[in-house]
């Protein structure tokens, strides 16, 4: 990590990350655009998109923040036998498995307020739960990988990991949600 932050060192460290993440977000928008017809047909899925994306990014950010703190404390180990790492990953997955069914029920209820409940409550909750479970596993993988990459590249994980995790989880959120929709609806 740099001893002293200057405009040049910040630009050198962050510009490639920000340019890469911009391309990732453009890709996410393009993927989302291909499912426009499905979203207009099932309003509960339209409500579910931003909540799913945001929740997946938040779960990944929570883990990334905990890993970054462990990194700065010198207690982070990337060993599969590390109890702290496994405990944090398990906490994220457990949180996702409890939150995403509520997210699905909330999306169904919000769509119902407008009188458009083309999908049943069970269908929307199942889509949300399955998407959330997959996204939790992916968020754990992305957070650990991004933290390890920051460590190997001598970058401060506080600066790099959370933007990477939230943006990648945005894209994965769109892709996973619509993959699950294709399987279950």
């Amino acid at each position: 990590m740099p001893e002293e932050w200057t405009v040049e060192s910040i630009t050198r460290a962050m510009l490639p990350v920000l340019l890469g993440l911009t391309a990732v977000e453009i890709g996410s928008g393009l993927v989302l655009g291909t499912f426009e017809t499905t979203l207009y047909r099932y309003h509960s899925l339209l409500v579910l998109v931003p909540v799913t994306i945001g929740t997946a990014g938040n779960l990944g950010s929570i883990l990334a923040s905990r890993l970054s703190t462990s990194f700065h404390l010198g207690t982070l180990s990337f060993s599969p036998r590390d109890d702290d790492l496994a405990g944090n990953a398990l906490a994220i997955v457990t949180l996702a498995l409890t939150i995403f069914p509520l997210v699905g029920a909330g999306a169904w209820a919000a769509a119902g307020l407008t009188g458009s409940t083309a999908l049943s409550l069970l269908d929307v909750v199942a889509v949300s739960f399955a998407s959330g479970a997959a996204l939790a596993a992916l968020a754990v993988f992305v957070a650990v990988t991004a933290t390890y990459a920051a460590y190997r590249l001598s970058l401060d994980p506080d600066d790099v990991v959370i933007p990477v995790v939230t943006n990648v989880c945005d894209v994965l959120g769109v892709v996973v949600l619509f993959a699950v929709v294709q399987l279950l609806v």
Side-chain angles (χ1 to χ4, degrees), residues 50-79:
V51 181
T52 300
I53 291 170
T55 304
N58 290 342
L59 291 171
S61 293
I62 290 168
L63 181 59
S65 175
R66 295 184 62 80
L67 295 176
S68 181
T69 299
S70 294
F71 172 80
H72 287 298
L73 292 174
T75 61
L76 181 60
S77 165
F78 292 102
S79 168

PDB file of all heavy atoms in Angstrom, residues 50-79:
ATOM      1  N   PRO A  50     -34.479  -4.352  -8.851  1.00  0.00           N
ATOM      2  CA  PRO A  50     -33.572  -3.471  -8.102  1.00  0.00           C
ATOM      3  C   PRO A  50     -33.311  -3.955  -6.677  1.00  0.00           C
ATOM      4  O   PRO A  50     -32.219  -3.778  -6.144  1.00  0.00           O
ATOM      5  CB  PRO A  50     -34.275  -2.113  -8.105  1.00  0.00           C
ATOM      6  CG  PRO A  50     -35.691  -2.389  -8.445  1.00  0.00           C
ATOM      7  CD  PRO A  50     -35.712  -3.658  -9.237  1.00  0.00           C
ATOM      8  N   VAL A  51     -34.325  -4.585  -6.078  1.00  0.00           N
ATOM      9  CA  VAL A  51     -34.151  -5.062  -4.709  1.00  0.00           C
ATOM     10  C   VAL A  51     -33.167  -6.229  -4.677  1.00  0.00           C
ATOM     11  O   VAL A  51     -32.306  -6.307  -3.795  1.00  0.00           O
ATOM     12  CB  VAL A  51     -35.509  -5.465  -4.096  1.00  0.00           C
ATOM     13  CG1 VAL A  51     -35.346  -5.948  -2.677  1.00  0.00           C
ATOM     14  CG2 VAL A  51     -36.484  -4.298  -4.160  1.00  0.00           C
ATOM     15  N   THR A  52     -33.270  -7.116  -5.639  1.00  0.00           N
ATOM     16  CA  THR A  52     -32.355  -8.258  -5.705  1.00  0.00           C
ATOM     17  C   THR A  52     -30.928  -7.793  -5.954  1.00  0.00           C
ATOM     18  O   THR A  52     -29.993  -8.233  -5.280  1.00  0.00           O
ATOM     19  CB  THR A  52     -32.791  -9.240  -6.811  1.00  0.00           C
ATOM     20  OG1 THR A  52     -34.105  -9.711  -6.509  1.00  0.00           O
ATOM     21  CG2 THR A  52     -31.844 -10.404  -6.939  1.00  0.00           C
ATOM     22  N   ILE A  53     -30.779  -6.891  -6.894  1.00  0.00           N
ATOM     23  CA  ILE A  53     -29.451  -6.370  -7.212  1.00  0.00           C
ATOM     24  C   ILE A  53     -28.851  -5.661  -5.988  1.00  0.00           C
ATOM     25  O   ILE A  53     -27.699  -5.887  -5.617  1.00  0.00           O
ATOM     26  CB  ILE A  53     -29.522  -5.412  -8.420  1.00  0.00           C
ATOM     27  CG1 ILE A  53     -29.844  -6.181  -9.688  1.00  0.00           C
ATOM     28  CG2 ILE A  53     -28.224  -4.649  -8.586  1.00  0.00           C
ATOM     29  CD1 ILE A  53     -30.177  -5.288 -10.862  1.00  0.00           C
ATOM     30  N   GLY A  54     -29.644  -4.805  -5.368  1.00  0.00           N
ATOM     31  CA  GLY A  54     -29.160  -4.064  -4.212  1.00  0.00           C
ATOM     32  C   GLY A  54     -28.821  -4.962  -3.035  1.00  0.00           C
ATOM     33  O   GLY A  54     -27.795  -4.780  -2.376  1.00  0.00           O
ATOM     34  N   THR A  55     -29.670  -5.951  -2.789  1.00  0.00           N
ATOM     35  CA  THR A  55     -29.429  -6.848  -1.660  1.00  0.00           C
ATOM     36  C   THR A  55     -28.189  -7.694  -1.897  1.00  0.00           C
ATOM     37  O   THR A  55     -27.377  -7.897  -0.980  1.00  0.00           O
ATOM     38  CB  THR A  55     -30.663  -7.740  -1.408  1.00  0.00           C
ATOM     39  OG1 THR A  55     -31.807  -6.890  -1.207  1.00  0.00           O
ATOM     40  CG2 THR A  55     -30.475  -8.616  -0.193  1.00  0.00           C
ATOM     41  N   ALA A  56     -28.008  -8.186  -3.110  1.00  0.00           N
ATOM     42  CA  ALA A  56     -26.802  -8.977  -3.417  1.00  0.00           C
ATOM     43  C   ALA A  56     -25.547  -8.129  -3.243  1.00  0.00           C
ATOM     44  O   ALA A  56     -24.558  -8.578  -2.650  1.00  0.00           O
ATOM     45  CB  ALA A  56     -26.876  -9.520  -4.840  1.00  0.00           C
ATOM     46  N   GLY A  57     -25.589  -6.903  -3.734  1.00  0.00           N
ATOM     47  CA  GLY A  57     -24.441  -6.006  -3.558  1.00  0.00           C
ATOM     48  C   GLY A  57     -24.177  -5.691  -2.100  1.00  0.00           C
ATOM     49  O   GLY A  57     -23.023  -5.635  -1.662  1.00  0.00           O
ATOM     50  N   ASN A  58     -25.251  -5.508  -1.327  1.00  0.00           N
ATOM     51  CA  ASN A  58     -25.085  -5.224   0.098  1.00  0.00           C
ATOM     52  C   ASN A  58     -24.478  -6.412   0.832  1.00  0.00           C
ATOM     53  O   ASN A  58     -23.604  -6.235   1.691  1.00  0.00           O
ATOM     54  CB  ASN A  58     -26.425  -4.853   0.733  1.00  0.00           C
ATOM     55  CG  ASN A  58     -26.922  -3.504   0.277  1.00  0.00           C
ATOM     56  OD1 ASN A  58     -26.168  -2.693  -0.240  1.00  0.00           O
ATOM     57  ND2 ASN A  58     -28.206  -3.267   0.444  1.00  0.00           N
ATOM     58  N   LEU A  59     -24.931  -7.617   0.530  1.00  0.00           N
ATOM     59  CA  LEU A  59     -24.365  -8.799   1.176  1.00  0.00           C
ATOM     60  C   LEU A  59     -22.880  -8.940   0.846  1.00  0.00           C
ATOM     61  O   LEU A  59     -22.061  -9.210   1.720  1.00  0.00           O
ATOM     62  CB  LEU A  59     -25.124 -10.055   0.753  1.00  0.00           C
ATOM     63  CG  LEU A  59     -26.555 -10.173   1.272  1.00  0.00           C
ATOM     64  CD1 LEU A  59     -27.260 -11.348   0.610  1.00  0.00           C
ATOM     65  CD2 LEU A  59     -26.578 -10.303   2.778  1.00  0.00           C
ATOM     66  N   GLY A  60     -22.537  -8.743  -0.421  1.00  0.00           N
ATOM     67  CA  GLY A  60     -21.131  -8.795  -0.818  1.00  0.00           C
ATOM     68  C   GLY A  60     -20.315  -7.710  -0.147  1.00  0.00           C
ATOM     69  O   GLY A  60     -19.177  -7.941   0.277  1.00  0.00           O
ATOM     70  N   SER A  61     -20.898  -6.525  -0.002  1.00  0.00           N
ATOM     71  CA  SER A  61     -20.196  -5.412   0.644  1.00  0.00           C
ATOM     72  C   SER A  61     -19.963  -5.667   2.120  1.00  0.00           C
ATOM     73  O   SER A  61     -18.923  -5.289   2.666  1.00  0.00           O
ATOM     74  CB  SER A  61     -20.990  -4.117   0.469  1.00  0.00           C
ATOM     75  OG  SER A  61     -21.013  -3.748  -0.880  1.00  0.00           O
ATOM     76  N   ILE A  62     -20.930  -6.293   2.772  1.00  0.00           N
ATOM     77  CA  ILE A  62     -20.759  -6.626   4.187  1.00  0.00           C
ATOM     78  C   ILE A  62     -19.550  -7.542   4.347  1.00  0.00           C
ATOM     79  O   ILE A  62     -18.677  -7.307   5.192  1.00  0.00           O
ATOM     80  CB  ILE A  62     -22.029  -7.298   4.747  1.00  0.00           C
ATOM     81  CG1 ILE A  62     -23.173  -6.297   4.839  1.00  0.00           C
ATOM     82  CG2 ILE A  62     -21.753  -7.924   6.118  1.00  0.00           C
ATOM     83  CD1 ILE A  62     -24.534  -6.938   5.103  1.00  0.00           C
ATOM     84  N   LEU A  63     -19.502  -8.585   3.532  1.00  0.00           N
ATOM     85  CA  LEU A  63     -18.379  -9.512   3.623  1.00  0.00           C
ATOM     86  C   LEU A  63     -17.068  -8.831   3.241  1.00  0.00           C
ATOM     87  O   LEU A  63     -16.046  -9.009   3.917  1.00  0.00           O
ATOM     88  CB  LEU A  63     -18.614 -10.744   2.747  1.00  0.00           C
ATOM     89  CG  LEU A  63     -17.507 -11.796   2.789  1.00  0.00           C
ATOM     90  CD1 LEU A  63     -17.289 -12.307   4.215  1.00  0.00           C
ATOM     91  CD2 LEU A  63     -17.829 -12.941   1.852  1.00  0.00           C
ATOM     92  N   ALA A  64     -17.084  -8.032   2.187  1.00  0.00           N
ATOM     93  CA  ALA A  64     -15.873  -7.331   1.760  1.00  0.00           C
ATOM     94  C   ALA A  64     -15.363  -6.404   2.864  1.00  0.00           C
ATOM     95  O   ALA A  64     -14.158  -6.325   3.110  1.00  0.00           O
ATOM     96  CB  ALA A  64     -16.152  -6.539   0.482  1.00  0.00           C
ATOM     97  N   SER A  65     -16.272  -5.735   3.530  1.00  0.00           N
ATOM     98  CA  SER A  65     -15.885  -4.849   4.619  1.00  0.00           C
ATOM     99  C   SER A  65     -15.257  -5.630   5.767  1.00  0.00           C
ATOM    100  O   SER A  65     -14.234  -5.218   6.330  1.00  0.00           O
ATOM    101  CB  SER A  65     -17.118  -4.089   5.112  1.00  0.00           C
ATOM    102  OG  SER A  65     -16.810  -3.315   6.225  1.00  0.00           O
ATOM    103  N   ARG A  66     -15.841  -6.758   6.109  1.00  0.00           N
ATOM    104  CA  ARG A  66     -15.286  -7.580   7.193  1.00  0.00           C
ATOM    105  C   ARG A  66     -13.913  -8.136   6.808  1.00  0.00           C
ATOM    106  O   ARG A  66     -13.006  -8.186   7.632  1.00  0.00           O
ATOM    107  CB  ARG A  66     -16.265  -8.695   7.553  1.00  0.00           C
ATOM    108  CG  ARG A  66     -17.568  -8.136   8.147  1.00  0.00           C
ATOM    109  CD  ARG A  66     -18.517  -9.193   8.606  1.00  0.00           C
ATOM    110  NE  ARG A  66     -17.988 -10.020   9.655  1.00  0.00           N
ATOM    111  CZ  ARG A  66     -17.940  -9.713  10.943  1.00  0.00           C
ATOM    112  NH1 ARG A  66     -18.407  -8.550  11.347  1.00  0.00           N
ATOM    113  NH2 ARG A  66     -17.460 -10.544  11.827  1.00  0.00           N
ATOM    114  N   LEU A  67     -13.764  -8.543   5.548  1.00  0.00           N
ATOM    115  CA  LEU A  67     -12.471  -9.048   5.092  1.00  0.00           C
ATOM    116  C   LEU A  67     -11.424  -7.938   5.084  1.00  0.00           C
ATOM    117  O   LEU A  67     -10.268  -8.160   5.450  1.00  0.00           O
ATOM    118  CB  LEU A  67     -12.591  -9.674   3.704  1.00  0.00           C
ATOM    119  CG  LEU A  67     -13.448 -10.936   3.595  1.00  0.00           C
ATOM    120  CD1 LEU A  67     -13.548 -11.378   2.147  1.00  0.00           C
ATOM    121  CD2 LEU A  67     -12.900 -12.040   4.470  1.00  0.00           C
ATOM    122  N   SER A  68     -11.820  -6.756   4.671  1.00  0.00           N
ATOM    123  CA  SER A  68     -10.898  -5.625   4.652  1.00  0.00           C
ATOM    124  C   SER A  68     -10.437  -5.272   6.064  1.00  0.00           C
ATOM    125  O   SER A  68      -9.251  -5.001   6.298  1.00  0.00           O
ATOM    126  CB  SER A  68     -11.572  -4.421   3.994  1.00  0.00           C
ATOM    127  OG  SER A  68     -10.704  -3.328   3.948  1.00  0.00           O
ATOM    128  N   THR A  69     -11.364  -5.295   6.999  1.00  0.00           N
ATOM    129  CA  THR A  69     -11.000  -5.029   8.392  1.00  0.00           C
ATOM    130  C   THR A  69     -10.024  -6.084   8.900  1.00  0.00           C
ATOM    131  O   THR A  69      -9.016  -5.763   9.534  1.00  0.00           O
ATOM    132  CB  THR A  69     -12.265  -4.987   9.278  1.00  0.00           C
ATOM    133  OG1 THR A  69     -13.105  -3.930   8.817  1.00  0.00           O
ATOM    134  CG2 THR A  69     -11.906  -4.773  10.733  1.00  0.00           C
ATOM    135  N   SER A  70     -10.310  -7.345   8.599  1.00  0.00           N
ATOM    136  CA  SER A  70      -9.399  -8.428   9.011  1.00  0.00           C
ATOM    137  C   SER A  70      -8.027  -8.254   8.369  1.00  0.00           C
ATOM    138  O   SER A  70      -7.003  -8.513   8.998  1.00  0.00           O
ATOM    139  CB  SER A  70      -9.980  -9.788   8.618  1.00  0.00           C
ATOM    140  OG  SER A  70     -11.139 -10.057   9.336  1.00  0.00           O
ATOM    141  N   PHE A  71      -8.016  -7.811   7.118  1.00  0.00           N
ATOM    142  CA  PHE A  71      -6.759  -7.568   6.410  1.00  0.00           C
ATOM    143  C   PHE A  71      -5.933  -6.520   7.152  1.00  0.00           C
ATOM    144  O   PHE A  71      -4.741  -6.706   7.396  1.00  0.00           O
ATOM    145  CB  PHE A  71      -7.061  -7.121   4.974  1.00  0.00           C
ATOM    146  CG  PHE A  71      -5.856  -6.665   4.213  1.00  0.00           C
ATOM    147  CD1 PHE A  71      -4.997  -7.583   3.638  1.00  0.00           C
ATOM    148  CD2 PHE A  71      -5.576  -5.315   4.064  1.00  0.00           C
ATOM    149  CE1 PHE A  71      -3.874  -7.161   2.930  1.00  0.00           C
ATOM    150  CE2 PHE A  71      -4.465  -4.890   3.361  1.00  0.00           C
ATOM    151  CZ  PHE A  71      -3.610  -5.818   2.791  1.00  0.00           C
ATOM    152  N   HIS A  72      -6.582  -5.407   7.511  1.00  0.00           N
ATOM    153  CA  HIS A  72      -5.860  -4.326   8.190  1.00  0.00           C
ATOM    154  C   HIS A  72      -5.427  -4.713   9.603  1.00  0.00           C
ATOM    155  O   HIS A  72      -4.435  -4.184  10.108  1.00  0.00           O
ATOM    156  CB  HIS A  72      -6.697  -3.055   8.213  1.00  0.00           C
ATOM    157  CG  HIS A  72      -6.774  -2.388   6.877  1.00  0.00           C
ATOM    158  ND1 HIS A  72      -5.673  -1.895   6.228  1.00  0.00           N
ATOM    159  CD2 HIS A  72      -7.821  -2.152   6.060  1.00  0.00           C
ATOM    160  CE1 HIS A  72      -6.033  -1.378   5.073  1.00  0.00           C
ATOM    161  NE2 HIS A  72      -7.337  -1.519   4.942  1.00  0.00           N
ATOM    162  N   LEU A  73      -6.170  -5.608  10.231  1.00  0.00           N
ATOM    163  CA  LEU A  73      -5.792  -6.074  11.561  1.00  0.00           C
ATOM    164  C   LEU A  73      -4.714  -7.155  11.508  1.00  0.00           C
ATOM    165  O   LEU A  73      -4.150  -7.520  12.526  1.00  0.00           O
ATOM    166  CB  LEU A  73      -7.014  -6.620  12.304  1.00  0.00           C
ATOM    167  CG  LEU A  73      -8.071  -5.602  12.700  1.00  0.00           C
ATOM    168  CD1 LEU A  73      -9.291  -6.305  13.288  1.00  0.00           C
ATOM    169  CD2 LEU A  73      -7.491  -4.598  13.696  1.00  0.00           C
ATOM    170  N   GLY A  74      -4.461  -7.667  10.300  1.00  0.00           N
ATOM    171  CA  GLY A  74      -3.459  -8.711  10.139  1.00  0.00           C
ATOM    172  C   GLY A  74      -3.949 -10.094  10.528  1.00  0.00           C
ATOM    173  O   GLY A  74      -3.148 -10.999  10.725  1.00  0.00           O
ATOM    174  N   THR A  75      -5.257 -10.262  10.601  1.00  0.00           N
ATOM    175  CA  THR A  75      -5.812 -11.564  10.998  1.00  0.00           C
ATOM    176  C   THR A  75      -6.410 -12.332   9.829  1.00  0.00           C
ATOM    177  O   THR A  75      -6.918 -13.428  10.021  1.00  0.00           O
ATOM    178  CB  THR A  75      -6.899 -11.381  12.082  1.00  0.00           C
ATOM    179  OG1 THR A  75      -7.962 -10.582  11.551  1.00  0.00           O
ATOM    180  CG2 THR A  75      -6.322 -10.728  13.328  1.00  0.00           C
ATOM    181  N   LEU A  76      -6.366 -11.762   8.628  1.00  0.00           N
ATOM    182  CA  LEU A  76      -6.984 -12.413   7.472  1.00  0.00           C
ATOM    183  C   LEU A  76      -6.087 -13.512   6.936  1.00  0.00           C
ATOM    184  O   LEU A  76      -4.903 -13.308   6.672  1.00  0.00           O
ATOM    185  CB  LEU A  76      -7.261 -11.390   6.369  1.00  0.00           C
ATOM    186  CG  LEU A  76      -7.934 -11.927   5.111  1.00  0.00           C
ATOM    187  CD1 LEU A  76      -9.291 -12.529   5.437  1.00  0.00           C
ATOM    188  CD2 LEU A  76      -8.080 -10.819   4.084  1.00  0.00           C
ATOM    189  N   SER A  77      -6.660 -14.658   6.785  1.00  0.00           N
ATOM    190  CA  SER A  77      -5.978 -15.789   6.175  1.00  0.00           C
ATOM    191  C   SER A  77      -6.876 -16.287   5.049  1.00  0.00           C
ATOM    192  O   SER A  77      -8.080 -16.410   5.222  1.00  0.00           O
ATOM    193  CB  SER A  77      -5.779 -16.897   7.215  1.00  0.00           C
ATOM    194  OG  SER A  77      -5.451 -18.112   6.577  1.00  0.00           O
ATOM    195  N   PHE A  78      -6.315 -16.570   3.930  1.00  0.00           N
ATOM    196  CA  PHE A  78      -7.101 -17.064   2.808  1.00  0.00           C
ATOM    197  C   PHE A  78      -7.149 -18.583   2.790  1.00  0.00           C
ATOM    198  O   PHE A  78      -7.472 -19.186   1.783  1.00  0.00           O
ATOM    199  CB  PHE A  78      -6.548 -16.512   1.495  1.00  0.00           C
ATOM    200  CG  PHE A  78      -6.761 -15.036   1.359  1.00  0.00           C
ATOM    201  CD1 PHE A  78      -5.726 -14.151   1.591  1.00  0.00           C
ATOM    202  CD2 PHE A  78      -7.997 -14.525   1.033  1.00  0.00           C
ATOM    203  CE1 PHE A  78      -5.912 -12.782   1.478  1.00  0.00           C
ATOM    204  CE2 PHE A  78      -8.207 -13.165   0.920  1.00  0.00           C
ATOM    205  CZ  PHE A  78      -7.167 -12.290   1.143  1.00  0.00           C
ATOM    206  N   SER A  79      -6.873 -19.183   3.913  1.00  0.00           N
ATOM    207  CA  SER A  79      -6.899 -20.639   4.041  1.00  0.00           C
ATOM    208  C   SER A  79      -8.348 -21.128   4.123  1.00  0.00           C
ATOM    209  O   SER A  79      -9.178 -20.516   4.807  1.00  0.00           O
ATOM    210  CB  SER A  79      -6.153 -21.059   5.312  1.00  0.00           C
ATOM    211  OG  SER A  79      -6.404 -22.411   5.595  1.00  0.00           O
TER     212      SER A  79
END
